[in-house]
Amino acid sequence: MSMIITKAEKSDLKEILELQYLAFKSEAKRINDFSIPPLVQTYDEKLVEYQKKTILKAVNLNGKIIGSVSVYTVDGISHIEKLIVNPEFQKQGVGKALLLAAENEYPSERYELYTGTKNSEAISLYERVGYVGFKEEKVSDNLTFVYMEKYKNE
């Protein structure tokens, strides 16, 4: 799929937040919990995220934002969060391209991310590009996170 991946601008945040709500609805349905943080995040909270982290966006040739990911580094570990793709554009390489772009944006020895254990599509994507689960954390009765890591050159 043809797309351009660049750093998001402040003016993109409202559109990215709307896309985030759309993308995380499937996760909320999967775990029967619509109060997960990505679905209740406010614009002001997204703005703080934008000021502290790098947000990348994938834009199709029509100029529509079709995906996004956040990345930041702490203590030499790059953390990748909120990898989202518009459901209309899933399974077309957008998520993989964003994930690899995030890794390129923050070259590190180690990358870390997490997702719900019931999100088999995301887990499969992460495993295909070299991520391996290293721990699980129960967040609620319906939600358990799997934390995954990838080391440089693996």
Side-chain angles (χ1 to χ4, degrees):
M1 145 152 268
S2 295
M3 71 187 110
I4 299 168
I5 297 176
T6 60
K7 287 185 180 179
E9 302 294 328
K10 185 178 176 183
S11 60
D12 296 320
L13 295 182
K14 184 177 178 189
E15 187 176 351
I16 290 171
L17 191 58
E18 289 170 3
L19 177 59
Q20 178 177 304
Y21 295 155
L22 178 65
F24 273 96
K25 280 184 183 174
S26 61
E27 179 72 7
K29 286 179 188 174
R30 190 178 292 118
I31 64 168
N32 194 30
D33 182 354
F34 288 84
S35 66
I36 58 176
L39 288 181
V40 297
Q41 186 176 27
T42 65
Y43 174 82
D44 288 341
E45 291 167 338
K46 192 70 170 180
L47 183 58
V48 170
E49 180 182 331
Y50 172 78
Q51 292 166 343
K52 293 182 177 182
K53 304 171 184 178
T54 297
I55 300 176
L56 301 177
K57 63 179 178 178
V59 179
N60 69 7
L61 298 182
N62 296 329
K64 179 179 180 179
I65 297 175
I66 59 171
S68 178
V69 66
S70 297
V71 60
Y72 64 98
T73 299
V74 174
D75 297 331
I77 300 170
S78 288
H79 298 267
I80 297 173
E81 300 179 332
K82 294 183 183 150
L83 176 62
I84 55 173
V85 177
N86 183 313
E88 293 176 35
F89 297 93
Q90 290 178 353
K91 302 188 189 295
Q92 298 180 41
V94 178
K96 180 179 179 181
L98 280 163
L99 184 57
L100 296 176
E103 291 176 5
N104 287 333
E105 185 70 28
Y106 280 81
S108 296
E109 290 298 315
R110 182 171 178 259
Y111 299 91
E112 188 175 306
L113 52 77
Y114 63 92
T115 190
T117 56
K118 295 178 182 176
N119 193 342
S120 58
E121 291 149 347
I123 292 169
S124 177
L125 166 64
Y126 301 146
E127 288 175 341
R128 284 194 309 272
V129 296
Y131 285 82
V132 176
F134 69 92
K135 76 174 181 178
E136 290 189 3
E137 176 186 8
K138 185 172 182 170
V139 179
S140 69
D141 288 342
N142 296 331
L143 179 61
T144 299
F145 287 143
V146 57
Y147 288 81
M148 303 181 80
E149 64 187 352
K150 177 180 177 180
Y151 286 89
K152 187 177 181 179
N153 300 325
E154 280 192 9

